[in-house]
Amino acid sequence: MSRSCRAIMALVCLHIAVTGQQIVFHPAADTATGSGIALQRELWMAGTPARTLLPAEALPALFGDRNGDGLLNDAPLRFDACATSGQTIYASLASNCTLVDGSTLLDGDIFRLDPQGQLALVWSESQFAAATGASTVDIDALAISSTGELYFSFEDDEVTSLAAVIAQNGGTTLIDEQCVWRWNPSQTHATLHLTQAAVVATMNAAFGTTATSVVDTCGLEIDPLDSAALWITTASSSAALKGRIASTRSGGQAVQWAGVNFEPVAFGFASNCTLDSLALASLDWPVLRLTPDTGSSGVGSAGVATVTNLAPGAQVQLVVTTPQLPGPFAIPSTLPGWQGVAVDPTDPLFAASFAAPELLLGADPVGAAAYAFSYGGMLPGTQAMVQAIEVTTLRISNPALLTVGV
């Protein structure tokens, strides 16, 4: 690599550090990390080590009791596309999802998701289909520019009826899933921003490969050094491309992390996994991660609620209430960390939590605290909503559910 290229890559890392932004993604499959398993239904933030931005434990609270059985256990299995703006995540799901109000999020819809329990459709599958001259579509990758333009790619090959797009695609009506679209929602139609050949050429130029296909474009972001360029990650199984990100800038540049080509093993993953979404975010929640066990009501069944990412030696208060159903329920919070209070302050258990000395924990030297208890004798199916707060800093954890099994 030339000195000028090295300087540019260093500037990328510097820019991300200065703006407080980090690369966000979710793995295409459950993948081992140094401290456990990164689940494909979680959003992760690159770091040393990487940590969860949106942990699986928070999803039931954000999606509510969708099937009306009185339990918060209906969270979707996997996200697909992801983009961020301010403190808000925009995402699509890998499969359709019926919400508590009876409406359905389709896999081609983009919805807004934030810790305050706000779940709202922003751009519909039908809008994307109409804009691209296609029919039923599934959004697989998404980036949002500062001017509101959308860059996206589909999960599958799609047939378009738009003459202008067919011409851009070399006269072919079939738009490959590696292609990237560009659409201003104020306009009727989208344009084909990158053909399959252009995406492949970008990856080859960035990493010195000779691929003829990268399988699928599964993550997009605006290049922070050039708003006219895109970051791209793909579903390629090539060892040189898997889990890596290229920028379209200058025909194809490798995106670097800590001085080396970005890849999951650089921040604690056991292997380089495919990134099934991609975003550059200034979000910093949950900060504290609360992970509870699901235990049996049988005699002697023990459970543990664990809080990590605490300051060593810090005190942390667990707060437990019954969940608000059907949800989603959250009170906006201006405290650091997770920005919604999902425990119910009107529940008598809220005040009782602060009066229970066993729920005030101390962190160990690595910043973890655990509360052990017995599930024995509890009614099967009982659920409790739990959040943790670090006493000195008032940092709030993600909400999580304690569930009593049979």
Side-chain angles (χ1 to χ4, degrees), residues 209-267:
T209 52
T210 57
T212 58
S213 171
V214 293
V215 184
D216 183 20
T217 293
C218 50
L220 295 167
E221 181 55 288
I222 308 299
D223 188 320
L225 287 184
D226 182 354
S227 60
L230 289 176
W231 284 0
I232 302 174
T233 189
T234 71
S236 173
S237 60
S238 164
L241 302 178
K242 191 172 186 179
R244 289 183 169 175
I245 306 169
S247 171
T248 59
R249 181 169 30 85
S250 302
Q253 297 285 330
V255 172
Q256 292 205 334
W257 171 268
V260 298
N261 290 343
F262 179 95
E263 54 184 10
V265 294
F267 40 85

Short mmCIF file of all heavy atoms in Angstrom, two decimals, residues 209-267:
data_model
loop_
_atom_site.label_atom_id
_atom_site.label_comp_id
_atom_site.label_asym_id
_atom_site.label_seq_id
_atom_site.Cartn_x
_atom_site.Cartn_y
_atom_site.Cartn_z
N THR A 209 -8.29 -8.97 -5.04
CA THR A 209 -8.86 -10.25 -5.42
C THR A 209 -9.27 -10.25 -6.89
O THR A 209 -9.23 -9.21 -7.57
CB THR A 209 -10.07 -10.58 -4.54
OG1 THR A 209 -10.99 -9.47 -4.56
CG2 THR A 209 -9.64 -10.84 -3.10
N THR A 210 -9.68 -11.42 -7.39
CA THR A 210 -10.13 -11.53 -8.78
C THR A 210 -11.51 -12.18 -8.84
O THR A 210 -11.80 -12.97 -9.72
CB THR A 210 -9.12 -12.37 -9.59
OG1 THR A 210 -8.97 -13.65 -8.97
CG2 THR A 210 -7.78 -11.67 -9.68
N ALA A 211 -12.35 -11.85 -7.87
CA ALA A 211 -13.69 -12.44 -7.80
C ALA A 211 -14.53 -12.04 -9.00
O ALA A 211 -14.38 -10.94 -9.55
CB ALA A 211 -14.37 -12.02 -6.51
N THR A 212 -15.41 -12.92 -9.42
CA THR A 212 -16.40 -12.59 -10.44
C THR A 212 -17.78 -12.36 -9.83
O THR A 212 -18.68 -11.88 -10.50
CB THR A 212 -16.49 -13.71 -11.48
OG1 THR A 212 -16.83 -14.94 -10.83
CG2 THR A 212 -15.15 -13.87 -12.21
N SER A 213 -17.93 -12.72 -8.56
CA SER A 213 -19.17 -12.51 -7.82
C SER A 213 -18.83 -12.36 -6.34
O SER A 213 -17.88 -12.98 -5.86
CB SER A 213 -20.13 -13.69 -8.01
OG SER A 213 -21.24 -13.60 -7.14
N VAL A 214 -19.59 -11.53 -5.64
CA VAL A 214 -19.46 -11.43 -4.18
C VAL A 214 -20.75 -11.89 -3.50
O VAL A 214 -21.02 -11.54 -2.36
CB VAL A 214 -19.07 -10.00 -3.74
CG1 VAL A 214 -17.66 -9.68 -4.22
CG2 VAL A 214 -20.06 -8.96 -4.26
N VAL A 215 -21.57 -12.61 -4.24
CA VAL A 215 -22.78 -13.29 -3.78
C VAL A 215 -23.93 -12.32 -3.53
O VAL A 215 -24.99 -12.41 -4.16
CB VAL A 215 -22.53 -14.14 -2.53
CG1 VAL A 215 -23.80 -14.92 -2.14
CG2 VAL A 215 -21.38 -15.11 -2.75
N ASP A 216 -23.73 -11.37 -2.59
CA ASP A 216 -24.83 -10.50 -2.18
C ASP A 216 -24.26 -9.28 -1.48
O ASP A 216 -23.31 -9.40 -0.70
CB ASP A 216 -25.76 -11.27 -1.23
CG ASP A 216 -26.99 -10.48 -0.80
OD1 ASP A 216 -27.35 -9.52 -1.50
OD2 ASP A 216 -27.59 -10.84 0.22
N THR A 217 -24.82 -8.12 -1.75
CA THR A 217 -24.48 -6.92 -0.97
C THR A 217 -25.38 -6.92 0.25
O THR A 217 -26.60 -6.81 0.15
CB THR A 217 -24.70 -5.64 -1.80
OG1 THR A 217 -23.75 -5.62 -2.88
CG2 THR A 217 -24.52 -4.40 -0.95
N CYS A 218 -24.78 -7.06 1.44
CA CYS A 218 -25.60 -7.21 2.65
C CYS A 218 -25.39 -6.11 3.67
O CYS A 218 -25.98 -6.15 4.75
CB CYS A 218 -25.37 -8.58 3.28
SG CYS A 218 -23.65 -9.03 3.54
N GLY A 219 -24.57 -5.09 3.36
CA GLY A 219 -24.42 -3.96 4.25
C GLY A 219 -23.89 -2.75 3.50
O GLY A 219 -22.99 -2.88 2.65
N LEU A 220 -24.46 -1.57 3.81
CA LEU A 220 -24.06 -0.33 3.15
C LEU A 220 -23.95 0.78 4.19
O LEU A 220 -24.68 0.79 5.18
CB LEU A 220 -25.09 0.09 2.10
CG LEU A 220 -25.27 -0.81 0.88
CD1 LEU A 220 -26.53 -0.41 0.12
CD2 LEU A 220 -24.05 -0.71 -0.05
N GLU A 221 -23.05 1.74 3.96
CA GLU A 221 -22.96 2.95 4.77
C GLU A 221 -22.31 4.03 3.93
O GLU A 221 -21.56 3.75 2.99
CB GLU A 221 -22.16 2.68 6.05
CG GLU A 221 -22.02 3.87 6.99
CD GLU A 221 -23.34 4.49 7.40
OE1 GLU A 221 -23.97 5.16 6.54
OE2 GLU A 221 -23.75 4.36 8.57
N ILE A 222 -22.61 5.29 4.27
CA ILE A 222 -21.97 6.42 3.61
C ILE A 222 -20.52 6.51 4.10
O ILE A 222 -20.26 6.42 5.30
CB ILE A 222 -22.71 7.73 3.91
CG1 ILE A 222 -24.22 7.60 3.62
CG2 ILE A 222 -22.10 8.88 3.13
CD1 ILE A 222 -24.56 7.28 2.18
N ASP A 223 -19.58 6.68 3.19
CA ASP A 223 -18.18 6.83 3.56
C ASP A 223 -18.01 8.15 4.32
O ASP A 223 -18.35 9.21 3.81
CB ASP A 223 -17.31 6.84 2.30
CG ASP A 223 -15.82 6.79 2.60
OD1 ASP A 223 -15.37 7.45 3.55
OD2 ASP A 223 -15.10 6.11 1.86
N PRO A 224 -17.47 8.12 5.55
CA PRO A 224 -17.34 9.36 6.32
C PRO A 224 -16.33 10.35 5.74
O PRO A 224 -16.35 11.52 6.10
CB PRO A 224 -16.89 8.87 7.71
CG PRO A 224 -16.24 7.56 7.45
CD PRO A 224 -16.99 6.95 6.31
N LEU A 225 -15.47 9.88 4.83
CA LEU A 225 -14.50 10.78 4.20
C LEU A 225 -14.98 11.35 2.87
O LEU A 225 -14.38 12.29 2.35
CB LEU A 225 -13.17 10.06 3.98
CG LEU A 225 -12.33 9.81 5.22
CD1 LEU A 225 -11.01 9.18 4.83
CD2 LEU A 225 -12.10 11.09 6.00
N ASP A 226 -16.04 10.77 2.31
CA ASP A 226 -16.53 11.22 1.01
C ASP A 226 -18.01 10.87 0.93
O ASP A 226 -18.38 9.71 0.76
CB ASP A 226 -15.74 10.53 -0.11
CG ASP A 226 -16.16 10.99 -1.49
OD1 ASP A 226 -17.14 11.77 -1.61
OD2 ASP A 226 -15.53 10.56 -2.47
N SER A 227 -18.87 11.86 1.03
CA SER A 227 -20.31 11.61 1.07
C SER A 227 -20.85 11.07 -0.25
O SER A 227 -21.98 10.60 -0.31
CB SER A 227 -21.07 12.89 1.43
OG SER A 227 -20.81 13.91 0.47
N ALA A 228 -20.03 11.11 -1.31
CA ALA A 228 -20.44 10.55 -2.59
C ALA A 228 -20.04 9.09 -2.73
O ALA A 228 -20.36 8.44 -3.72
CB ALA A 228 -19.83 11.36 -3.74
N ALA A 229 -19.33 8.56 -1.74
CA ALA A 229 -18.86 7.17 -1.78
C ALA A 229 -19.61 6.34 -0.75
O ALA A 229 -20.16 6.86 0.22
CB ALA A 229 -17.36 7.11 -1.53
N LEU A 230 -19.61 5.03 -0.96
CA LEU A 230 -20.29 4.09 -0.08
C LEU A 230 -19.30 3.08 0.49
O LEU A 230 -18.36 2.67 -0.18
CB LEU A 230 -21.37 3.31 -0.84
CG LEU A 230 -22.63 4.05 -1.26
CD1 LEU A 230 -23.51 3.10 -2.07
CD2 LEU A 230 -23.40 4.57 -0.06
N TRP A 231 -19.55 2.68 1.73
CA TRP A 231 -18.95 1.47 2.28
C TRP A 231 -19.84 0.29 1.89
O TRP A 231 -21.07 0.39 1.92
CB TRP A 231 -18.88 1.53 3.80
CG TRP A 231 -17.79 2.40 4.35
CD1 TRP A 231 -16.88 3.14 3.66
CD2 TRP A 231 -17.51 2.60 5.74
NE1 TRP A 231 -16.04 3.79 4.52
CE2 TRP A 231 -16.39 3.47 5.80
CE3 TRP A 231 -18.07 2.12 6.91
CZ2 TRP A 231 -15.85 3.88 7.02
CZ3 TRP A 231 -17.53 2.53 8.13
CH2 TRP A 231 -16.42 3.41 8.17
N ILE A 232 -19.21 -0.84 1.55
CA ILE A 232 -19.95 -2.03 1.14
C ILE A 232 -19.36 -3.24 1.86
O ILE A 232 -18.15 -3.40 1.93
CB ILE A 232 -19.86 -2.27 -0.38
CG1 ILE A 232 -20.40 -1.08 -1.16
CG2 ILE A 232 -20.60 -3.54 -0.78
CD1 ILE A 232 -20.19 -1.19 -2.66
N THR A 233 -20.23 -4.11 2.36
CA THR A 233 -19.81 -5.43 2.82
C THR A 233 -20.71 -6.46 2.16
O THR A 233 -21.87 -6.17 1.85
CB THR A 233 -19.83 -5.55 4.36
OG1 THR A 233 -19.20 -6.76 4.75
CG2 THR A 233 -21.24 -5.51 4.91
N THR A 234 -20.17 -7.64 1.94
CA THR A 234 -20.87 -8.62 1.11
C THR A 234 -20.95 -9.98 1.79
O THR A 234 -20.34 -10.22 2.83
CB THR A 234 -20.15 -8.80 -0.24
OG1 THR A 234 -18.92 -9.50 -0.02
CG2 THR A 234 -19.88 -7.45 -0.90
N ALA A 235 -21.69 -10.88 1.15
CA ALA A 235 -21.84 -12.25 1.65
C ALA A 235 -20.81 -13.19 1.04
O ALA A 235 -20.96 -14.41 1.12
CB ALA A 235 -23.24 -12.76 1.37
N SER A 236 -19.75 -12.65 0.44
CA SER A 236 -18.72 -13.50 -0.15
C SER A 236 -18.11 -14.42 0.89
O SER A 236 -17.84 -14.01 2.02
CB SER A 236 -17.63 -12.63 -0.78
OG SER A 236 -16.55 -13.44 -1.23
N SER A 237 -17.86 -15.67 0.49
CA SER A 237 -17.20 -16.63 1.38
C SER A 237 -15.68 -16.61 1.21
O SER A 237 -14.98 -17.35 1.90
CB SER A 237 -17.73 -18.04 1.13
OG SER A 237 -17.50 -18.42 -0.22
N SER A 238 -15.18 -15.78 0.31
CA SER A 238 -13.74 -15.67 0.11
C SER A 238 -13.06 -15.20 1.39
O SER A 238 -13.51 -14.25 2.04
CB SER A 238 -13.44 -14.67 -1.02
OG SER A 238 -12.09 -14.26 -1.00
N ALA A 239 -11.97 -15.85 1.77
CA ALA A 239 -11.25 -15.48 2.99
C ALA A 239 -10.75 -14.05 2.93
O ALA A 239 -10.59 -13.39 3.96
CB ALA A 239 -10.08 -16.44 3.22
N ALA A 240 -10.49 -13.55 1.73
CA ALA A 240 -9.98 -12.18 1.57
C ALA A 240 -11.08 -11.14 1.71
O ALA A 240 -10.79 -9.96 1.96
CB ALA A 240 -9.30 -12.03 0.22
N LEU A 241 -12.35 -11.55 1.57
CA LEU A 241 -13.46 -10.60 1.56
C LEU A 241 -14.42 -10.78 2.73
O LEU A 241 -15.11 -9.82 3.10
CB LEU A 241 -14.25 -10.72 0.25
CG LEU A 241 -13.47 -10.51 -1.05
CD1 LEU A 241 -14.38 -10.71 -2.25
CD2 LEU A 241 -12.83 -9.13 -1.09
N LYS A 242 -14.49 -11.95 3.32
CA LYS A 242 -15.49 -12.25 4.33
C LYS A 242 -15.34 -11.34 5.55
O LYS A 242 -14.27 -11.26 6.16
CB LYS A 242 -15.38 -13.71 4.76
CG LYS A 242 -16.56 -14.18 5.60
CD LYS A 242 -16.48 -15.68 5.84
CE LYS A 242 -17.71 -16.19 6.56
NZ LYS A 242 -17.65 -17.66 6.76
N GLY A 243 -16.42 -10.66 5.90
CA GLY A 243 -16.41 -9.79 7.06
C GLY A 243 -15.69 -8.48 6.87
O GLY A 243 -15.54 -7.71 7.82
N ARG A 244 -15.23 -8.19 5.67
CA ARG A 244 -14.48 -6.96 5.41
C ARG A 244 -15.35 -5.93 4.70
O ARG A 244 -16.41 -6.24 4.15
CB ARG A 244 -13.22 -7.26 4.60
CG ARG A 244 -12.18 -8.00 5.43
CD ARG A 244 -10.91 -8.26 4.67
NE ARG A 244 -9.86 -8.74 5.58
CZ ARG A 244 -8.67 -9.13 5.19
NH1 ARG A 244 -8.35 -9.12 3.90
NH2 ARG A 244 -7.78 -9.55 6.07
N ILE A 245 -14.89 -4.69 4.74
CA ILE A 245 -15.65 -3.56 4.19
C ILE A 245 -14.77 -2.83 3.19
O ILE A 245 -13.60 -2.55 3.46
CB ILE A 245 -16.06 -2.58 5.31
CG1 ILE A 245 -16.82 -3.31 6.42
CG2 ILE A 245 -16.92 -1.45 4.74
CD1 ILE A 245 -17.03 -2.45 7.66
N ALA A 246 -15.35 -2.51 2.04
CA ALA A 246 -14.66 -1.70 1.02
C ALA A 246 -15.42 -0.41 0.80
O ALA A 246 -16.64 -0.36 0.91
CB ALA A 246 -14.54 -2.48 -0.29
N SER A 247 -14.68 0.64 0.49
CA SER A 247 -15.29 1.90 0.08
C SER A 247 -15.18 2.02 -1.44
O SER A 247 -14.19 1.60 -2.04
CB SER A 247 -14.56 3.09 0.74
OG SER A 247 -15.02 4.31 0.17
N THR A 248 -16.20 2.62 -2.04
CA THR A 248 -16.15 2.87 -3.48
C THR A 248 -15.24 4.04 -3.83
O THR A 248 -14.98 4.29 -5.01
CB THR A 248 -17.56 3.15 -4.04
OG1 THR A 248 -18.10 4.32 -3.37
CG2 THR A 248 -18.50 1.98 -3.81
N ARG A 249 -14.74 4.73 -2.81
CA ARG A 249 -13.86 5.87 -3.04
C ARG A 249 -12.62 5.45 -3.83
O ARG A 249 -12.01 4.42 -3.56
CB ARG A 249 -13.47 6.47 -1.69
CG ARG A 249 -12.58 7.68 -1.73
CD ARG A 249 -12.47 8.34 -0.36
NE ARG A 249 -12.62 7.40 0.76
CZ ARG A 249 -11.61 6.70 1.25
NH1 ARG A 249 -10.40 6.80 0.71
NH2 ARG A 249 -11.81 5.90 2.28
N SER A 250 -12.27 6.24 -4.83
CA SER A 250 -11.08 6.01 -5.68
C SER A 250 -11.11 4.64 -6.34
O SER A 250 -10.06 4.03 -6.57
CB SER A 250 -9.79 6.16 -4.85
OG SER A 250 -9.73 7.44 -4.26
N GLY A 251 -12.31 4.15 -6.63
CA GLY A 251 -12.43 2.88 -7.35
C GLY A 251 -12.46 1.66 -6.46
O GLY A 251 -12.77 0.56 -6.92
N GLY A 252 -12.12 1.82 -5.18
CA GLY A 252 -12.14 0.68 -4.26
C GLY A 252 -11.03 0.77 -3.25
O GLY A 252 -9.85 0.63 -3.58
N GLN A 253 -11.37 1.06 -1.99
CA GLN A 253 -10.39 1.19 -0.91
C GLN A 253 -10.83 0.32 0.27
O GLN A 253 -12.01 0.28 0.62
CB GLN A 253 -10.28 2.65 -0.44
CG GLN A 253 -9.79 3.63 -1.49
CD GLN A 253 -8.29 3.49 -1.73
OE1 GLN A 253 -7.55 3.13 -0.83
NE2 GLN A 253 -7.86 3.80 -2.95
N ALA A 254 -9.89 -0.37 0.89
CA ALA A 254 -10.20 -1.17 2.07
C ALA A 254 -10.46 -0.25 3.26
O ALA A 254 -9.70 0.68 3.51
CB ALA A 254 -9.05 -2.12 2.38
N VAL A 255 -11.54 -0.49 3.97
CA VAL A 255 -11.81 0.23 5.21
C VAL A 255 -11.01 -0.44 6.32
O VAL A 255 -11.05 -1.66 6.47
CB VAL A 255 -13.31 0.22 5.54
CG1 VAL A 255 -13.58 0.82 6.92
CG2 VAL A 255 -14.08 1.00 4.47
N GLN A 256 -10.29 0.37 7.09
CA GLN A 256 -9.41 -0.18 8.10
C GLN A 256 -9.92 0.07 9.51
O GLN A 256 -10.72 0.98 9.76
CB GLN A 256 -8.00 0.39 7.95
CG GLN A 256 -7.30 -0.07 6.68
CD GLN A 256 -5.80 -0.04 6.80
OE1 GLN A 256 -5.24 0.72 7.59
NE2 GLN A 256 -5.12 -0.86 6.02
N TRP A 257 -9.43 -0.75 10.43
CA TRP A 257 -9.74 -0.64 11.85
C TRP A 257 -8.44 -0.85 12.61
O TRP A 257 -7.78 -1.88 12.45
CB TRP A 257 -10.77 -1.70 12.25
CG TRP A 257 -11.00 -1.81 13.72
CD1 TRP A 257 -10.36 -2.64 14.59
CD2 TRP A 257 -11.90 -1.04 14.50
NE1 TRP A 257 -10.82 -2.45 15.86
CE2 TRP A 257 -11.77 -1.47 15.85
CE3 TRP A 257 -12.81 -0.03 14.21
CZ2 TRP A 257 -12.51 -0.92 16.88
CZ3 TRP A 257 -13.55 0.51 15.23
CH2 TRP A 257 -13.41 0.07 16.55
N ALA A 258 -8.06 0.15 13.40
CA ALA A 258 -6.83 0.06 14.20
C ALA A 258 -5.62 -0.27 13.32
O ALA A 258 -4.74 -1.03 13.72
CB ALA A 258 -6.98 -0.96 15.31
N GLY A 259 -5.60 0.30 12.11
CA GLY A 259 -4.43 0.17 11.25
C GLY A 259 -4.41 -1.05 10.35
O GLY A 259 -3.48 -1.22 9.57
N VAL A 260 -5.42 -1.94 10.46
CA VAL A 260 -5.48 -3.11 9.59
C VAL A 260 -6.86 -3.17 8.94
O VAL A 260 -7.80 -2.51 9.38
CB VAL A 260 -5.22 -4.42 10.38
CG1 VAL A 260 -3.84 -4.41 10.99
CG2 VAL A 260 -6.28 -4.61 11.47
N ASN A 261 -6.99 -3.97 7.89
CA ASN A 261 -8.27 -4.10 7.23
C ASN A 261 -9.34 -4.54 8.24
O ASN A 261 -9.12 -5.46 9.03
CB ASN A 261 -8.19 -5.13 6.10
CG ASN A 261 -7.36 -4.63 4.94
OD1 ASN A 261 -7.09 -3.44 4.81
ND2 ASN A 261 -6.94 -5.54 4.08
N PHE A 262 -10.46 -3.86 8.21
CA PHE A 262 -11.55 -4.16 9.15
C PHE A 262 -11.95 -5.62 9.01
O PHE A 262 -12.23 -6.11 7.91
CB PHE A 262 -12.75 -3.27 8.85
CG PHE A 262 -13.93 -3.53 9.76
CD1 PHE A 262 -14.12 -2.77 10.89
CD2 PHE A 262 -14.83 -4.55 9.47
CE1 PHE A 262 -15.21 -3.01 11.73
CE2 PHE A 262 -15.91 -4.80 10.31
CZ PHE A 262 -16.09 -4.03 11.44
N GLU A 263 -12.02 -6.33 10.12
CA GLU A 263 -12.51 -7.70 10.13
C GLU A 263 -12.86 -8.07 11.56
O GLU A 263 -12.26 -7.58 12.52
CB GLU A 263 -11.46 -8.66 9.58
CG GLU A 263 -10.12 -8.58 10.25
CD GLU A 263 -9.10 -9.50 9.60
OE1 GLU A 263 -9.37 -10.06 8.53
OE2 GLU A 263 -8.03 -9.67 10.19
N PRO A 264 -13.85 -8.94 11.77
CA PRO A 264 -14.32 -9.26 13.11
C PRO A 264 -13.25 -9.83 14.04
O PRO A 264 -13.31 -9.58 15.25
CB PRO A 264 -15.44 -10.28 12.84
CG PRO A 264 -15.98 -9.89 11.50
CD PRO A 264 -14.77 -9.46 10.72
N VAL A 265 -12.28 -10.58 13.52
CA VAL A 265 -11.26 -11.16 14.42
C VAL A 265 -10.41 -10.07 15.06
O VAL A 265 -9.76 -10.31 16.09
CB VAL A 265 -10.36 -12.17 13.69
CG1 VAL A 265 -11.15 -13.39 13.26
CG2 VAL A 265 -9.64 -11.52 12.51
N ALA A 266 -10.41 -8.85 14.49
CA ALA A 266 -9.59 -7.77 15.05
C ALA A 266 -10.16 -7.23 16.35
O ALA A 266 -9.47 -6.53 17.08
CB ALA A 266 -9.45 -6.64 14.03
N PHE A 267 -11.42 -7.53 16.65
CA PHE A 267 -12.00 -7.04 17.90
C PHE A 267 -12.69 -8.15 18.68
O PHE A 267 -13.74 -7.97 19.29
CB PHE A 267 -12.96 -5.86 17.66
CG PHE A 267 -13.82 -5.98 16.44
CD1 PHE A 267 -15.00 -6.67 16.48
CD2 PHE A 267 -13.43 -5.40 15.24
CE1 PHE A 267 -15.82 -6.78 15.37
CE2 PHE A 267 -14.22 -5.52 14.12
CZ PHE A 267 -15.41 -6.20 14.17
#
